[in-house]
Amino acid sequence: MTSNPHLIADLTVAVKPSVTLADVHAAAARLAGVADRTPVLSCPALDEWVSAQVLLKCENLQRTGSFKFRGAYNAISRLNIEQRSHGVIAFSSGNHALAVATAARMLGSTALIVMPSDAPPAKLTAASELGAHVRTFDRYTEDRFALTDRLAAEHGLTLIPPYDHVDVIAGAGSVTLELLNQAGPLDVLVMPLGGGGQLAGAGVVTTAISPATRLIGVETATGDKTRQSLRAGHRVRIPVPHTIADGVTGEIPGELTFALNQHRVSDVVVVSDEEITTAMAWLFQEVKVVAEPSGVLAVAALLAGRVDLPDQRVGAVVSGGNIDLHRFHALLQSRLTRT
Amino acid sequence: MTSNPHLIADLTVAVKPSVTLADVHAAAARLAGVADRTPVLSCPALDEWVSAQVLLKCENLQRTGSFKFRGAYNAISRLNIEQRSHGVIAFSSGNHALAVATAARMLGSTALIVMPSDAPPAKLTAASELGAHVRTFDRYTEDRFALTDRLAAEHGLTLIPPYDHVDVIAGAGSVTLELLNQAGPLDVLVMPLGGGGQLAGAGVVTTAISPATRLIGVETATGDKTRQSLRAGHRVRIPVPHTIADGVTGEIPGELTFALNQHRVSDVVVVSDEEITTAMAWLFQEVKVVAEPSGVLAVAALLAGRVDLPDQRVGAVVSGGNIDLHRFHALLQSRLTRT
């Protein structure tokens, strides 16, 4: 066999971790009958307000209350029998924890969830009730990365990252694949942007089957790590954002997700906490669905006029609905007393 | 032509107003692309709680926020051009008002909505914003029936009744037709029971295409007019019920709806106000949807164990979601302070 430098170069590119449409199709096939095919809802009042046709992909109605189930299930289902029997580990106090705990149980594995000891008691309880083991740690004295790595090594656990992983991105990408199947062609697709997994998955899917669709991510005004990173041309670390959107408080975009988003995302816009609660109230009163702060970022951006979309067909993902009555009430309290 | 007493008897039966599967199919065809094909959601926690497979037909996510849109649109679409140009009239301060106002506008007609002057200002405003004319009256000094009749006669308006009308029942029946298409065979179908239109429509549909399905209506403990009427074998008038379920406060079942329900409904069960708020909280936290008190009666009955359904496939209709943040909070206040 002759040595061919071009071939070697191609192979080098091929082994760099990436995500393809085939990966998303495979994820969607694994999720069929397991994840919910979540409804796409429309709202005449919203269409009138934004002068566009908006199709809301309601992943807040997904199993475990967020799109995170798709990535977690896809990733765990790819593990071999031995890996599953040893179990998985995840660091999260939020939707990823619920997703990993549930998916692990469904797939005959066990999950160890690492959470800060000051996480809301309801979240600690929820993970336990789903059959997960919970290990708390002190956010101020312990390093969560070191702890997670040590626990994984000690117990032979496989880490399921919240977004920066091929199988997690492929699972998240199934949201967009499903939405395009349900809604038909879209001029614009707007989605909440945290670690960037869902947006990266959307990029993979739309690049392949709907390249004209503009892809827009929405961050909080205080947590615009990807917007800043896109401007800088490399990943930028920001201070821990102060926001009510507790699902999107990361300090730096994922490595893999950023590489994917950098080449596909048309724009990143931001919204304020006030705009987030407006969107929550709107979804409650007009669409009759419950969404959590991080879940409404895309709707908040539309309502605030952050995205220019005259007469276009717009997909917007409502990505999570895990908020209890107490917190929902507390966040909308000012609205209740004001009017 | 010879006189045939049997033929005459048959004709007499035939002209008595009734509703057939063909009427419901025709209604469904008129509603296609106009009403939303509302999603059927499942909830593993609910299934576990009731030891059955429950499929929630979410008519709270229907256009105008309740199943009432189906009957109102179907009835108004059946009017001729002259009737539509004169306009329609309805008595309602609730979901029927929103449905008639919206359907009239969509069909190029105008609606006059008669509401008590002490109806919540938000409801008066909502009907006006939908393009309807609103006529208020004093509940204590004016007779609403006489007023509605007089207004209809004076202005040549066609009355759109909230339930006791063939076209309204046929429209409401499309909920069941759609649910059976989406969910497949059901052992039991449970739905909120007010005037009885939706249940009557369900009876027409299930008798024809799913006769083995048990049909169960749910009333409030203080408003069990149909339960009492079924026991008595004729329509019974009850005192105005005191309940938080403001959509089901009628005093007597409809004439046509009762005749239909009497021959088909397996059972009517009742729930308390406390059980209603429990169901609202459950739907909020577990299913992530917003439902109003009258809309959750079926879910409340399931959660309270009022329906025996070991290992069965159960359809349950969530029939409306029109509740604002203030009232939602007020009703669930005790829950917020208690825990």
Side-chain angles (χ1 to χ4, degrees), chain A residues 203-222:
Chain A
V204 170
V205 172
T206 55
T207 298
I209 68 177
S210 183
T213 301
R214 278 195 298 148
L215 209 56
I216 294 174
V218 185
E219 296 185 311
T220 62
T222 57

Side-chain angles (χ1 to χ4, degrees), chain B residues 120-204:
Chain B
K123 294 201 169 177
L124 297 168
T125 316
S128 298
E129 282 176 356
L130 289 167
H133 303 287
V134 175
R135 166 68 153 83
T136 57
F137 75 103
D138 185 331
R139 282 207 287 173
Y140 303 99
T141 60
E142 287 183 278
D143 174 4
R144 74 172 174 94
F145 294 105
L147 174 66
T148 305
D149 284 352
R150 183 169 61 74
L151 289 168
E154 267 177 29
H155 303 286
L157 308 174
T158 305
L159 177 69
I160 307 295
Y163 47 84
D164 216 17
H165 185 281
V166 170
D167 296 325
V168 174
I169 295 169
S174 69
V175 174
T176 300
L177 195 63
E178 201 171 278
L179 171 58
L180 289 171
N181 277 330
Q182 293 167 301
L186 297 173
D187 298 309
V188 188
L189 176 55
V190 191
M191 45 176 67
L193 170 50
Q198 187 172 208
L199 195 61
V204 170

Side-chain angles (χ1 to χ4, degrees), chain B residues 254-268:
Chain B
E255 196 174 342
L256 178 54
T257 54
F258 183 69
L260 288 164
N261 287 329
Q262 200 172 15
H263 294 292
R264 180 61 180 92
V265 171
S266 303
D267 201 4
V268 173

Side-chain angles (χ1 to χ4, degrees), chain A residues 48-63:
Chain A
E48 205 171 312
W49 179 263
V50 302
S51 300
Q53 188 190 354
V54 182
L55 299 149
L56 299 170
K57 177 64 172 166
C58 290
E59 284 291 301
N60 53 331
L61 307 180
Q62 183 54 265
R63 194 184 274 255

Side-chain angles (χ1 to χ4, degrees), chain A residues 11-212:
Chain A
L11 282 171
T12 312
V13 171
V15 295
K16 191 177 150 191
S18 190
V19 187
T20 65
L21 182 65
D23 294 327
V24 181
H25 272 296
R30 284 179 208 112
L31 291 166
V34 178
D36 291 320
R37 186 178 165 89
T38 53
V40 176
L41 302 180
S42 59
C43 173
L46 180 58
D47 290 356
E48 205 171 312
W49 179 263
V50 302
S51 300
Q53 188 190 354
V54 182
L55 299 149
L56 299 170
K57 177 64 172 166
C58 290
E59 284 291 301
N60 53 331
L61 307 180
Q62 183 54 265
R63 194 184 274 255
T64 75
S66 86
F67 78 98
K68 288 285 186 183
F69 176 74
R70 296 174 184 260
Y73 186 93
N74 188 48
I76 299 173
S77 74
R78 301 265 286 152
L79 303 181
N80 63 37
I81 299 285
E82 198 190 331
Q83 289 171 313
R84 283 196 219 177
S85 73
H86 279 102
V88 298
I89 183 169
F91 172 81
S92 167
S93 62
N95 290 336
H96 183 57
L98 298 177
V100 169
T102 302
R105 186 160 70 164
M106 291 170 76
L107 288 160
S109 187
T110 51
L112 175 62
I113 309 290
V114 180
M115 280 190 195
S117 49
D118 56 353
K123 294 200 167 176
L124 298 168
T125 315
S128 299
E129 283 175 357
L130 289 167
H133 303 286
V134 176
R135 165 67 152 85
T136 57
F137 75 102
D138 185 330
R139 283 206 286 172
Y140 304 98
T141 59
E142 287 183 277
D143 174 4
R144 73 171 172 95
F145 294 104
L147 174 65
T148 306
D149 284 352
R150 183 170 60 75
L151 289 168
E154 267 177 31
H155 304 285
L157 308 175
T158 304
L159 177 68
I160 308 295
Y163 47 83
D164 217 16
H165 185 281
V166 171
D167 296 325
V168 174
I169 294 170
S174 69
V175 174
T176 298
L177 195 63
E178 202 171 277
L179 171 60
L180 289 171
N181 277 330
Q182 293 168 300
L186 296 173
D187 299 308
V188 188
L189 176 54
V190 192
M191 47 176 64
L193 170 49
Q198 187 172 207
L199 195 62
V204 170
V205 172
T206 55
T207 298
I209 68 177
S210 183

